[in-house]
Amino acid sequence: MMHELFLASPVKDDFLQQALAVIGGFCEMREKHQITRILHYEPNPATKGLSTIKELQRERTLGVPSWIELHQILSKQPCTVQVRTQIYDSETEAAKNGQRVIVPAKRERHLRWTELPDPPSQRLPPYITQRRILEIIDPRIETLMATNKFTRTSHIYEYSYHWWHKKTGVEFMLVRTFVPDEPLDPQQVVALDTVEPLAPFWMLYVCTLSESKPEPMQRVQAFLEQIRNEFVGVFEFKVFDRRALDTRVTGVKP
């Protein structure tokens, strides 16, 4: 199991170009652009964990331990999970031109589960969020969601820019979120120019992963502290209510 640790700051539209330049200079690289389709799923309330876990265990493939871990997590507390798929610029451009583009079934999918962030403590600055995270890469994820009777609850797109700091490996990510109309087939690529962004600003995340052990997590916290100090007066890293990042399904008994 790993922990994700991050800082977060809103970035206004009229500051976007300055933000791209400042972060690019700090990381000594040009930004990498990405479009991601995100489907949110809730597990079947009548089943604890994954109903097909025994069949998955028999596969003996590299991804099986992660599926077993997800089964154990969902057995204790039902949670929403994300299924993330990269969408290419050529596909959104074709959709913009009126073509019907479908995401290929064999394209790599990433399943992501995150826990409620750790509570405030004297050892963790309030502007650093840290939480357990589990990611599974498998092209069959959406099929397995259907087989295990998960329910799709929402459908969003992220338009993002990415950088990686050379010395620390910390990722900088500027993200804008779009929410397509629900009647659209989620497998059909969306023309983002027809969708209003969720908010009139971008979100900057400065994030990294760490082993879930005290020493490596403290080192990562120190990296994030240094980065925050570098950007005083440029970005305002906010303190967020941890409950806003709660993925647990409400109204369902564990």
Side-chain angles (χ1 to χ4, degrees):
M1 180 64 71
M2 303 288 285
H3 260 74
E4 178 187 47
L5 296 90
F6 64 89
L7 305 165
S9 172
V11 174
K12 294 181 180 179
D13 278 346
D14 58 7
F15 190 66
L16 176 63
Q17 294 305 316
Q18 293 96 315
L20 294 174
V22 168
I23 300 169
F26 182 77
C27 294
E28 299 180 4
M29 65 172 291
R30 290 188 61 84
E31 67 273 8
K32 292 185 180 295
H33 158 63
Q34 186 168 309
I35 300 171
T36 307
R37 183 198 65 181
I38 303 173
L39 306 179
H40 292 95
Y41 288 88
E42 287 186 1
N44 179 8
T47 304
K48 285 191 174 182
L50 303 173
S51 60
T52 62
I53 190 61
K54 291 183 179 179
E55 289 87 341
L56 286 166
Q57 287 173 319
R58 284 196 290 268
E59 291 183 3
R60 299 183 182 276
T61 57
L62 290 176
V64 167
S66 295
W67 284 110
I68 293 173
E69 192 167 10
L70 180 65
H71 169 72
Q72 293 169 343
I73 290 166
L74 299 181
S75 295
K76 295 175 182 177
Q77 173 65 61
C79 297
T80 299
V81 297
Q82 298 181 14
V83 177
R84 305 172 66 90
T85 310
Q86 184 173 353
I87 304 299
Y88 297 112
D89 287 339
S90 58
E91 293 170 331
T92 56
E93 187 65 25
K96 179 181 177 180
N97 293 331
Q99 299 178 38
R100 187 173 187 272
V101 183
I102 300 298
V103 181
K106 293 184 178 180
R107 181 168 298 169
E108 188 176 86
R109 267 75 164 159
H110 290 229
L111 183 145
R112 179 180 294 179
W113 166 83
T114 54
E115 192 173 39
L116 179 69
D118 293 350
S121 72
Q122 293 182 344
R123 291 178 295 180
L124 181 67
Y127 43 79
I128 295 180
T129 299
Q130 65 181 35
R131 58 186 179 181
R132 286 201 305 158
I133 184 171
L134 175 66
E135 292 192 305
I136 302 173
I137 302 174
D138 194 321
R140 307 168 302 160
I141 285 174
E142 288 174 44
T143 300
L144 289 169
M145 294 290 97
T147 304
N148 284 277
K149 296 184 168 54
F150 278 63
T151 302
R152 185 175 62 83
T153 57
S154 64
H155 171 206
I156 66 174
Y157 273 64
E158 283 185 352
Y159 189 104
S160 55
Y161 297 100
H162 302 255
W163 304 256
W164 289 267
H165 188 241
K166 289 184 177 180
K167 292 182 180 179
T168 63
V170 171
E171 181 180 11
F172 287 70
M173 181 168 57
L174 263 174
V175 179
R176 194 154 208 186
T177 302
F178 296 83
V179 184
D181 293 335
E182 271 305 305
L184 181 68
D185 177 357
Q187 301 304 329
Q188 182 176 340
V189 175
V190 172
L192 291 183
D193 63 322
T194 66
V195 183
E196 288 293 323
L198 182 63
F201 54 82
W202 296 72
M203 286 297 298
L204 170 64
Y205 296 98
V206 182
C207 55
T208 189
L209 296 178
S210 168
E211 293 181 86
S212 298
K213 297 177 182 178
E215 288 189 6
M217 290 177 66
Q218 288 168 9
R219 285 197 295 270
V220 169
Q221 290 171 15
F223 289 154
L224 293 179
E225 284 268 21
Q226 292 171 13
I227 289 171
R228 176 179 178 268
N229 292 337
E230 290 275 357
F231 288 106
V232 170
V234 181
F235 300 115
E236 185 179 356
F237 294 107
K238 301 285 189 179
V239 177
F240 292 94
D241 188 333
R242 61 196 284 265
R243 292 171 296 182
L245 300 174
D246 191 352
T247 60
R248 294 174 298 181
V249 177
T250 58
V252 178
K253 294 183 179 180

